[in-house]
Amino acid sequence: MKTRTENLVRNRGFRMLWAAESVSQVGFMAAQTTVPLIAVALLAVSPFEMGVLTAAGTISFLLIGLPAGVWLDRLNVLRCLVWASLVRLAVISTVPIAIWAGFLSFPQLTTVVLIAGAAGVFFDVGYQSYVPRLVSRSSLVDGNGKLEASRSTAQAAGPALGGGLVQGVGGALAVGATALCYAISSLILLRMRPVAGPPKDEERADRHLWREIREGLRFVSTHRVLRSLTLCSASLLLFTGIANAVLVLFLARSLLLSSAEVGLVLAAGGLSGVLAGIVVGRAGRIFGTARLIWLAAGLTWPLAVLLPLSQAWGGVALFAVAWSVIGFGSVLFNVAQVSCRQALCPPGLLGRMNATVRFLTWSALPAGGLLGGVLGESWGIGTAFLVGAVGMGLSPLWLFFTPLWRMRDIPDRPDEG
C-alpha cells in the first residue's frame, strides 16, 4: 500500500513510464512542426490539404478510439505501449527514406500521419490507464503533473528542435529525429516490469466488444462531472483543430516567420506549460483540485482571441505572450481533469473511460482540422484562424453545467458523480 508521502522519483515503474512518455512526446511534438513544414516546403500544400493532413493525425480517435479502450482493459497494457511505440517508429522512418529517394508525396505523408495517429491512440489511452497502477490515489495529481510537465517541455523543445532541424539540416534528418525518439521510448518500455491490473474475468461467456464499449459510454455520459468535462474538452479541441489547420500557415505567411522562428514561437506555450506542471501540485492544494479545473480554463483560454489579432497589432510578441498564457492554463486544466477522471473511475473501467473521453473529445480535432482547411481555402487563413480562436475562448462556458463549481476537491469515491 503506497503512502500519502510517496516519492514518485523513487518509484521505478513510474520513473520509467515517465521517461518513455517524455521521450515519445519530444518526438511527437517535433513531428507536429516538421511534418507541416515539409508539406509546405516540399509539397506546396494548399490550406485544404493542410487541413486533411491535420485531420489525419487525430481521426483515429474517431475510428478506433472506443474499441481501443476495451482492448486495453483486456490486454497487457505495457505490451500495448511497446507495440505502439514500435509502429510509430516504423512508419515515421519511411518519410526520410522517401525524401532521400525523391518520391515523397502528399498521399504517403498523410498515410504515415494516419497510421502513427492510430498507434498514438493506444499509447495515449494506455499510459493514462497505467498510471493508477503505479501510484497511489493521493499521488495522482503529482504523477500527472510530472507527466504533463514533460509533455510541456516536449511542446517547448519539440517545435524548436523540429523547426531548427528543418532549416538547418533538412526535412529528412528532422523527421529522423522523431524516429530516434520513438526508438528510445520503445527500449525504455521494454525494460519495465509489468504491474498487474484489476482482476479480469477472462472466462465470461457474455464478453462482447460492443457491450463493453457501451459500458464505457454509459459511465461517461451519465456521470455529471465526466460528462461536463468531456463536453468542455471536445469544444476546445474542435476549435483548436480549426486553428491548428492554418496555424503554421498563419505564422509563416501572415506573420512572415522562418521555419526556425515558427518553432521558437510555438515553443513558448510549452515553456509556460513546464512551469505549470511544476506548480500544479501546489496550486491544487491552495485552490482545490476541482476548483483548479474551471479557474485554469476560465482565466486563460479566452486570451485565444488575441492570437489572430497579432497580425494587425502586437505582431509576434503578442502572439507569443497569449500563446504562453494559454499553454500555462491548459496544463493546469489537463492535469486537474485527468486526475479527476482517474480518481472517479473504477479500476476495471479505466481503459474504456479514458478511451471514451478521448473518442468524444479528440474526434473533434479532425472535424475541426477539415473545417479549418475549408474555411482557410474559402475565407482566407486569417478568418479561419479567428473562428478557431474565438471558439477556444468560449469553450470554458461548458463548465457552468458541472457540479465542480460547488466543489473544492475531487470526490474521494471512484463512483461519485
Side-chain angles (χ1 to χ4, degrees), residues 336-384:
Q337 65 94 13
V338 167
S339 301
C340 179
R341 281 162 33 198
Q342 292 169 337
L344 294 175
C345 183
L349 271 170
L350 273 170
R352 280 167 286 173
M353 180 277 294
N354 282 320
T356 298
V357 173
R358 286 278 180 154
F359 168 78
L360 295 173
T361 56
W362 283 70
S363 294
L365 267 177
L370 291 173
L371 181 57
V374 171
L375 292 176
E377 193 82 36
S378 303
W379 296 352
I381 295 170
T383 302

Side-chain angles (χ1 to χ4, degrees), residues 120-370:
V121 171
F122 285 91
F123 190 90
D124 289 347
V125 174
Y127 89 77
Q128 285 191 355
S129 302
Y130 206 59
V131 171
R133 299 189 190 182
L134 299 173
V135 308
S136 63
R137 179 180 295 271
S138 62
S139 298
L140 282 175
V141 172
D142 186 23
N144 287 315
K146 286 179 168 55
L147 290 166
E148 194 67 18
S150 294
R151 190 195 69 82
S152 298
T153 302
Q155 189 177 2
L161 175 66
L165 286 175
V166 169
Q167 184 163 321
V169 299
L173 289 178
V175 178
T178 292
L180 177 61
C181 289
Y182 289 145
I184 295 172
S185 178
S186 301
L187 291 174
I188 295 172
L189 291 169
L190 284 169
R191 291 177 55 82
M192 285 184 65
R193 290 192 289 266
V195 177
K200 295 182 173 63
D201 187 1
E202 303 289 355
E203 306 301 325
R204 260 176 41 193
D206 63 343
R207 198 173 188 87
H208 189 275
L209 176 66
W210 294 109
R211 184 178 295 114
E212 293 181 81
I213 286 176
R214 284 197 299 272
E215 289 177 0
L217 284 167
R218 187 182 306 113
F219 179 73
V220 172
S221 63
T222 59
H223 195 292
R224 292 176 298 165
V225 173
L226 296 183
R227 182 176 64 241
S228 298
L229 287 174
T230 301
L231 289 170
C232 176
S233 298
S235 175
L236 174 71
L237 292 181
L238 172 67
F239 289 103
T240 297
I242 294 174
N244 282 349
V246 294
L247 174 60
V248 172
L249 293 173
F250 178 83
L251 292 173
R253 297 179 183 176
S254 299
L255 296 186
L256 304 177
L257 303 183
S258 67
S259 295
E261 290 169 336
V262 168
L264 289 173
V265 169
L266 294 181
L271 289 173
S272 64
V274 175
L275 176 60
I278 294 172
V279 305
V280 66
R282 183 173 179 81
R285 289 189 294 272
I286 294 173
F287 298 106
T289 309
R291 192 177 295 157
L292 185 61
I293 292 173
W294 57 265
L295 279 175
L299 294 179
T300 64
W301 294 357
L303 295 183
V305 297
L306 297 178
L307 298 175
L309 296 179
S310 63
Q311 182 180 6
W313 52 280
V316 67
L318 177 63
F319 188 100
V321 170
W323 189 256
S324 298
V325 175
I326 295 167
F328 183 85
S330 295
V331 169
L332 294 181
F333 172 83
N334 283 335
V335 172
Q337 65 94 13
V338 167
S339 301
C340 179
R341 281 162 33 198
Q342 292 169 337
L344 294 175
C345 183
L349 271 170
L350 273 170
R352 280 167 286 173
M353 180 277 294
N354 282 320
T356 298
V357 173
R358 286 278 180 154
F359 168 78
L360 295 173
T361 56
W362 283 70
S363 294
L365 267 177
L370 291 173

Side-chain angles (χ1 to χ4, degrees), residues 96-115:
I97 294 173
I99 294 175
W100 285 325
F103 60 77
L104 180 70
S105 66
F106 180 73
Q108 184 212 343
L109 195 60
T110 304
T111 301
V112 167
V113 171
L114 180 64
I115 296 174

